[in-house]
């Protein structure tokens, strides 16, 4: 697997930015985004996500560190530039333009013209499901439709890499799912996607790997299966009596939903599963199912950011 985006000790300080004080937006960021993967780039507000994206796009310059895109350290080279599609955070398009005119405008900026441009516009409108709305003006578009046009714009030059800053923010669940499906199919067609987002469930559903930033520093990076720990185990039992459940609760097993004599029990990581099962047997409960419960990305995110904040507090 080759790295399509690579940063090494990338650092950005906005000098004298706030009341003459430096803002350390990004510190020693080293990440790799592999070919044909969706990399979820996460972090609280102000943690440095957009700064990273702007650095990768060459819109701002690093204070220190190195970047390589498609193996090239010259990230301003035309071969690199034309291979990156970018959807900015809260992208804005003039309200009076029709969807297809927005794309035509950007196409001309990319140096595309004539038949090639028209064919390409037809194609990207089709990919994002906006062919039927192409002649309507942006004014009449929903947020989801605006994001689709933004995505179409990012796809115009048929780039290998897509960098999307908050692509699903503010969308309803159906629109989010539709955008997610489009992104997954782009990955399946061989594109590499770097997606910054606050929508943790979205990211969990779609990303191959994630990186989590806190105050400009990378706190965790990897595959979700490696990062998220298996913690609790859920046991479903039948034949439960209130007394038996009380005794199980006293042994540290949490009792969840109950319907008649069926109950769902939660065994926390600190209680050995073997002990919990033996206790259930001793209470003459029948086991219906035993299933490990994986930590969610949201739980992991809150834990990692919380640990980082605690570390900063205690080191002050
Ligand atoms: N042009 C700038 N000048 C000075 N400081 C800036 C500039 N752009 C960003 N910052 C600061 O750098 C830090 C990182 O900002 P950045 O926009 O990269 O965060 P983010 O992770 O994208 O946040 P959000 O989730 O809110 O979009 C913040 O403290 C921000 O105030
Ligand atoms: Mg941002």
């Amino acid at each position: 697997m080759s790295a399509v985006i690579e940063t090494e000790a990338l650092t950005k300080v906005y000098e004298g930015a706030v009341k003459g004080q430096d803002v350390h937006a990004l510190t020693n960021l080293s990440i790799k985004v592999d070919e044909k993967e969706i990399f979820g780039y996460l972090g609280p507000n102000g943690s440095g996500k957009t700064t990273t994206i702007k650095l990768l796009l060459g819109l701002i310059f690093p204070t220190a560190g190195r970047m390589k895109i498609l193996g090239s350290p010259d990230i301003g080279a035309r071969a690199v530039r034309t291979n990156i599609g970018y959807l900015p955070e809260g992208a804005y398009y003039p309200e009076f333009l029709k969807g297809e005119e927005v794309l035509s405008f950007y196409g001309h900026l990319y140096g595309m013209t004539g038949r090639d441009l028209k064919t390409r516009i037809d194609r990207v409108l089709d990919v994002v499901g906006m062919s039927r709305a192409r002649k309507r003006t942006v004014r009449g578009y929903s947020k989801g439709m605006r994001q689709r046009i933004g995505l179409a714009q990012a796809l115009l030059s048929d780039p290998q890499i897509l960098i999307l800053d908050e692509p699903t923010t503010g969308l309803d669940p159906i629109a989010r799912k539709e955008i997610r499906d489009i992104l997954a199919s782009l990955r399946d067609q061989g594109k590499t996607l770097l997606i910054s987002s606050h929508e943790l469930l979205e990211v969990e559903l779609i990303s191959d790997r994630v990186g989590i930033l806190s105050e400009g520093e990378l706190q965790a990076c990897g595959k979700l299966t490696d990062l998220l720990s298996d913690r609790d185990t859920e046991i479903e039992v039948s034949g439960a009596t209130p007394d038996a459940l009380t005794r199980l609760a006293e042994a540290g097993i949490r009792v969840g939903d109950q319907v008649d004599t069926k109950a769902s029990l939660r065994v926390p990581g600190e209680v050995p599963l073997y002990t919990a099962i033996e206790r259930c047997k001793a209470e003459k409960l029948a086991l219906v199912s035993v299933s490990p419960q994986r930590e969610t990305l949201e739980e992991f995110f809150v834990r990692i950011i919380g640990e980082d904040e605690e570390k900063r507090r205690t080191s002050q």
Side-chain angles (χ1 to χ4, degrees), residues 49-50 89 165-166:
K49 302 181 295 296
T50 299
E89 188 175 4
D165 204 353
E166 312 266 354

Side-chain angles (χ1 to χ4, degrees), residues 14 17 23 25 44-51 89 166 198:
Y14 293 105
V23 175
N45 291 126
S47 55
K49 302 181 295 296
T50 299
T51 296
E89 188 175 4
E166 312 266 354
H198 290 288

Side-chain angles (χ1 to χ4, degrees), residues 19-32:
K19 294 182 187 159
Q21 299 278 311
D22 293 350
V23 175
H24 293 258
L26 202 61
T27 309
N28 284 328
L29 177 81
S30 299
I31 51 166
K32 282 186 180 154

